[in-house]
Amino acid sequence: MSMEPIIYGLIFVGVLVLVEGIYLVVFGRSISLNNRVNRRLEMLNKSGGRREEVLEQLRKEMQQHMGARSIPVYSILAEKAQKAAIAFTPYQLMMIMGLLALIAFMGLSIGTETDVPVRALMSVGIGVGAVFFWVSAKANKRMGLIEEQLPDAVELMVRSLKVGHPFSHAVQTAAKEIPDPLASEFGLIADESAFGRDIGEALKDMAERLDMQDLRFLAVAVSIQQQSGGNLAEILAGLAKVIRARFRLFRRVKAITAEAKWSGKFLSAFPLVCLVLIQISDPGYYDDVRDHPFFIPACFVVGILLCANLWVMRQLTDIKV
């Protein structure tokens, strides 16, 4: 029985866990999104209340990844790393990819007997793929939390405006009261406003950096109110209702299309799972046809059809709201 496919999977999971472990060791528990105290407040507490120093560090972390899109390998995950607000610098992430690839190569050398070029290629794929998967998971989790927290944050700002506080104070209140990740984002805006930046422009930059339509609505509403006046509390109260309704609609669409999405994933994964099981139970199953001239082209055709199946099912379930 061939254990190599299982070894590949275990090594991939191992390096994935290793990335998370390195991240928490370097930056501490405060970097986690489920921490009770938001990271900005904890950084302020450790720095003795030096807002300018904390502001500079957070701005650097949140903007450093898109500036490294010219790096060939890093360009594939720059956008997701920015949305995830990964505190590692681009060069640190690339060094981690190389370290994980080296660890994977050592593991494959110990656990398998494949040729050295194949092991090297698989190691690079595992190192890059593990970091990409980890960053994507972080970005999806963080963006989902921001979408869920935004209506509550806007309603909190509405209550602050109704008691007579200025909008900058309302943003600062939201940054203190709501948890991460949105708390640190609003805290960054509050600090920039305190140092003289236009708060509407700061909101617009945050919306573009996170690429979120609801934040664009908030930035446009604040900018229009600054230019033409009006009751900002009433405008934001209506916006909070719209955002909450959109969020419920997105969840409903996600629930409706979940069956089709998982059907596509299952249909694409089933042949691969069968291939692994056949190789484990009977390693010589394909020996009689492996030398046939149509074997390799047929493998490519099957791979293309599986990818096409995933793409078609994704397009069918990608409902624009």
Side-chain angles (χ1 to χ4, degrees), residues 99-137:
L99 175 63
L100 294 179
L102 179 61
I103 294 174
F105 182 79
M106 294 171 60
L108 292 176
S109 299
I110 296 172
T112 66
E113 297 179 356
T114 54
D115 296 334
V116 174
V118 176
R119 273 181 284 165
L121 184 62
M122 291 296 297
S123 300
V124 172
I126 290 174
V128 176
V131 173
F132 182 81
F133 184 83
W134 176 74
V135 171
S136 298

Side-chain angles (χ1 to χ4, degrees), residues 10-277:
L10 291 176
I11 290 176
F12 181 80
V13 174
V15 297
L16 191 61
V17 174
L18 185 60
V19 178
E20 181 71 15
I22 294 173
Y23 198 55
L24 293 178
V25 168
V26 174
F27 295 101
R29 183 63 183 170
S30 65
I31 201 71
S32 181
L33 293 178
N34 59 2
N35 197 42
R36 291 185 177 182
V37 179
N38 72 65
R39 185 164 180 250
R40 172 178 165 271
L41 294 180
E42 188 164 320
M43 292 170 65
L44 284 172
N45 183 46
K46 290 181 179 179
S47 66
R50 293 193 291 271
R51 294 176 65 183
E52 188 173 1
E53 178 181 329
V54 173
L55 171 64
E56 185 64 28
Q57 182 176 348
L58 288 176
R59 288 181 67 181
K60 181 181 178 180
E61 290 179 1
M62 293 178 179
Q63 299 175 359
Q64 62 185 344
H65 300 286
M66 294 307 288
R69 284 179 296 181
S70 58
I71 302 175
V73 177
Y74 195 76
S75 59
I76 62 176
L77 53 82
E79 184 177 352
K80 288 188 177 294
Q82 177 175 279
K83 290 182 179 179
I86 300 297
F88 282 134
T89 66
Y91 294 102
Q92 286 174 337
L93 272 179
M94 294 184 66
M95 290 175 61
I96 290 174
M97 288 182 191
L99 175 63
L100 294 179
L102 179 61
I103 294 174
F105 182 79
M106 294 171 60
L108 292 176
S109 299
I110 296 172
T112 66
E113 297 179 356
T114 54
D115 296 334
V116 174
V118 176
R119 273 181 284 165
L121 184 62
M122 291 296 297
S123 300
V124 172
I126 290 174
V128 176
V131 173
F132 182 81
F133 184 83
W134 176 74
V135 171
S136 298
K138 287 281 187 183
N140 293 335
K141 181 180 179 180
R142 188 170 185 268
M143 295 302 294
L145 286 174
I146 290 177
E147 290 176 353
E148 188 174 350
Q149 292 172 341
L150 186 58
D152 294 332
V154 175
E155 289 176 351
L156 181 61
M157 289 188 288
V158 169
R159 291 194 292 270
S160 181
L161 291 171
K162 285 183 177 179
V163 298
H165 293 152
F167 182 66
S168 58
H169 187 275
V171 173
Q172 188 173 358
T173 301
K176 291 180 180 178
E177 297 297 330
I178 60 176
D180 264 344
L182 193 56
S184 293
E185 293 284 351
F186 275 165
L188 185 67
I189 292 175
D191 289 342
E192 288 179 338
S193 175
F195 286 105
R197 189 181 186 188
D198 180 71
I199 197 166
E201 181 182 344
L203 281 169
K204 183 179 179 181
D205 284 351
M206 181 180 73
E208 294 300 325
R209 174 164 45 82
L210 297 177
D211 192 22
M212 185 179 295
Q213 192 64 33
D214 292 337
L215 283 174
R216 292 191 181 97
F217 292 156
L218 176 62
V220 169
V222 173
S223 298
I224 292 176
Q225 192 274 339
Q226 287 178 336
Q227 296 174 7
S228 59
N231 190 338
L232 184 58
E234 184 177 345
I235 295 172
L236 294 184
L239 178 61
K241 293 180 181 178
V242 171
I243 294 174
R244 199 175 294 278
R246 279 168 51 85
F247 182 73
R248 286 198 299 266
L249 183 58
F250 285 140
R251 285 295 178 90
R252 186 176 180 182
V253 170
K254 185 177 181 180
I256 293 173
T257 59
E259 182 181 358
K261 289 180 179 178
W262 281 104
S263 296
K265 292 177 181 178
F266 175 79
L267 292 174
S268 296
F270 184 74
L272 300 178
V273 173
C274 289
L275 176 63
V276 172
L277 292 177

